[in-house]
Amino acid sequence: MKRFKEIFNLRRYISILDWYIIKKFIGTYIYSIVLIISISIIFDVNENLAKFTQYQAPLKAIVLDYYMNFVPYFANLFSPLFVFIAVIFFTSKLAGNSEIISMLAAGVSFKRLMRPYMISCVLISLVSFYLSAYVIPHGTVIRQNFETLYKNKRKNTAADNVQLQVGKGVIAYIQHYDNTYKRGYGFSLDKFENKKLVSHLTAAEIQYDTISDSKFHWTMRTWKIRELKGLKEQITSGFQRDTTILMEPTDLVYSKGQQETFTSPELHDYISKQIDRGSGNVVQYQVEYHKRIASSFASFILTTIGLSLSSRKRKGGMGLYLGIGLALSFGYIMLQTVSATFAINAGTPPMLAAWIPNIIFAVVAYFCYRKAPN
């Protein structure tokens, strides 16, 4: 038991110096988030107040449904910016107070100095990934529903002439689908064996069962099945029939930003399902899936750059470094958007598109690290 406590005793690995820097890092990071997001909320209220009044949005819905989900979404989106600002800000103050010089003079190498920064990055990255993969998607659904009701941002709620593979050799077709009522019209289901049609089902109307305990539960109305057995044909018809079809409403209607409403496990399942069906409309989902993983590593890269730039004591204070930090952070966020656009429109592999900003900025971090004081 004593040996176990020694192994997992944090004081054995984290010194007083480490705790000092970690507290400075995390504290400044949280402070920058609170400061910038507060300013963003003020501007957002000023921009949308007229719409909130026009559509009579309740105060409770504005606070709980919109801004309670607005804050974590944008805080996590601009997390690389907050990390960079935090590192530049408090490290420049340490360098200005000759604290960095004292550490290096006491025999602490620059590599050893990076340890508390990297520990802080681990904490920030884990929280950032957990939020983006599991928490924020649920909040995004609530926020988008609020925007549809009270900001008049119309979502795509219908689709025409939808055709997809719902099983091996099974093709479904819906002439018109209304996602508001989860109802489709002009439905057909064709089953093929060895490239030959063996069954043709049609229904005037098909309704998704939203209260069923199981998924893929549909109700057909005014249906007819033609079963082909060689030269013989058997026809069965009826008014209403419950059936299981391996498709869901999310497979039929795509609305802008829909990929942001899926948790990472849901995204993975959705992508696998769509690829098996032969669907080509999965690139934006793949980019979103890989971007969540890649973005969590951004804090390590940007922290290395920020520490390398601001650890020298120079005349002029932190203004220059803060400007460089803001430019690089916005450059990283812009590069994320550009690479995602190239993946969707130009055929760049989604995984590569998600990691391009990290690859480019990792090279920048390496050169900054080599130029850092030792």
Side-chain angles (χ1 to χ4, degrees):
M1 188 66 181
K2 186 177 179 181
R3 178 65 177 168
F4 181 81
K5 288 182 178 180
E6 288 179 0
I7 293 174
F8 290 95
N9 185 8
L10 290 177
R11 292 183 179 179
R12 183 181 178 185
Y13 307 101
I14 304 176
S15 65
I16 296 175
L17 175 64
D18 294 329
W19 281 119
Y20 175 72
I21 292 176
I22 290 170
K23 289 176 183 177
K24 288 276 188 181
F25 192 164
I26 301 298
T28 310
Y29 173 74
I30 295 173
Y31 176 78
S32 63
I33 288 177
V34 172
L35 181 64
I36 296 175
I37 292 298
S38 299
I39 296 171
S40 301
I41 290 174
I42 293 171
F43 279 103
D44 191 78
V45 169
N46 183 59
E47 181 182 349
N48 295 304
L49 187 59
K51 288 185 178 180
F52 293 158
T53 306
Q54 178 185 351
Y55 294 103
Q56 299 179 347
L59 179 61
K60 182 179 179 181
I62 294 173
V63 175
L64 297 181
D65 294 347
Y66 185 66
Y67 284 111
M68 285 296 287
N69 296 302
F70 172 95
V71 171
Y73 175 82
F74 284 98
N76 197 63
L77 178 66
F78 294 109
S79 182
L81 172 64
F82 300 136
V83 167
F84 215 119
I85 290 175
V87 172
I88 293 288
F89 186 80
F90 88 86
T91 305
S92 295
K93 287 191 69 176
L94 292 178
N97 295 333
S98 300
E99 292 182 69
I100 299 291
I101 294 174
S102 301
M103 295 174 195
L104 297 175
V108 177
S109 66
F110 187 78
K111 186 176 180 181
R112 171 64 182 83
L113 182 63
M114 289 183 67
R115 183 199 288 181
Y117 286 86
M118 294 299 106
I119 293 173
S120 302
C121 288
V122 170
L123 298 175
I124 293 171
S125 297
L126 290 175
V127 172
S128 177
F129 177 74
Y130 179 75
L131 287 173
S132 63
Y134 298 98
V135 177
I136 291 176
H138 296 298
T140 301
V141 174
I142 299 171
R143 182 171 55 85
Q144 288 182 355
N145 290 337
F146 175 92
E147 290 175 345
T148 303
L149 288 172
Y150 303 114
K151 291 182 68 177
N152 200 27
K153 287 192 174 182
R154 299 188 180 276
K155 295 173 69 175
N156 186 20
T157 58
D160 294 309
N161 299 318
V162 181
Q163 183 173 334
L164 69 157
Q165 182 173 309
V166 296
K168 187 175 181 180
V170 182
I171 308 297
Y173 171 80
I174 299 179
Q175 186 176 9
H176 177 77
Y177 177 75
D178 187 343
N179 196 48
T180 303
Y181 301 100
K182 302 292 187 289
R183 186 179 300 160
Y185 304 91
F187 175 75
S188 68
L189 190 71
D190 295 328
K191 184 177 181 181
F192 295 86
E193 290 182 1
N194 298 323
K195 299 182 180 181
K196 292 183 179 180
L197 181 66
V198 296
S199 175
H200 177 68
L201 181 150
T202 59
E205 183 181 305
I206 186 169
Q207 175 76 51
Y208 186 70
D209 190 350
T210 57
I211 61 174
S212 174
D213 293 333
S214 59
K215 296 196 299 182
F216 314 122
H217 188 247
W218 296 82
T219 300
M220 299 184 298
R221 295 185 178 89
T222 315
W223 58 273
K224 181 170 69 173
I225 300 177
R226 295 173 56 201
E227 294 181 297
L228 307 175
K229 299 179 181 179
L231 299 176
K232 295 181 180 181
E233 180 182 73
Q234 181 179 347
I235 299 177
T236 309
S237 60
F239 174 70
Q240 182 169 310
R241 178 176 178 176
D242 292 337
T243 186
T244 299
I245 305 171
L246 298 180
M247 65 180 185
E248 297 179 272
T250 53
D251 301 327
L252 305 174
V253 177
Y254 172 75
S255 57
K256 186 178 180 181
Q258 181 176 309
Q259 67 275 15
E260 296 177 352
T261 64
F262 292 164
T263 63
S264 288
E266 289 171 345
L267 265 178
H268 183 270
D269 293 341
Y270 182 85
I271 291 167
S272 300
K273 185 170 62 176
Q274 292 299 96
I275 290 175
D276 291 341
R277 290 172 173 172
S279 174
N281 189 31
V282 294
V283 177
Q284 57 267 41
Y285 295 90
Q286 291 173 316
V287 171
E288 177 68 20
Y289 180 79
H290 293 295
K291 188 175 75 173
R292 292 177 183 180
I293 301 172
S295 295
S296 62
F297 286 92
S299 58
F300 294 95
I301 298 170
L302 296 178
T303 295
T304 302
I305 298 174
L307 175 59
S308 302
L309 287 175
S310 58
S311 56
R312 288 184 183 275
K313 183 177 181 180
R314 289 191 177 98
K315 293 181 180 180
M318 70 181 74
L320 176 63
Y321 302 124
L322 194 58
I324 295 173
L326 289 171
L328 287 172
S329 299
F330 280 117
Y332 178 87
I333 295 167
M334 185 183 71
L335 192 58
Q336 273 188 325
T337 305
V338 171
S339 60
T341 303
F342 270 103
I344 295 170
N345 299 321
T348 305
M351 186 173 180
L352 177 62
W355 283 90
I356 280 176
N358 283 5
I359 295 170
I360 293 175
F361 276 79
V363 175
V364 176
Y366 173 76
F367 283 104
C368 290
Y369 174 75
R370 293 297 299 269
K371 295 294 183 180
N374 288 290

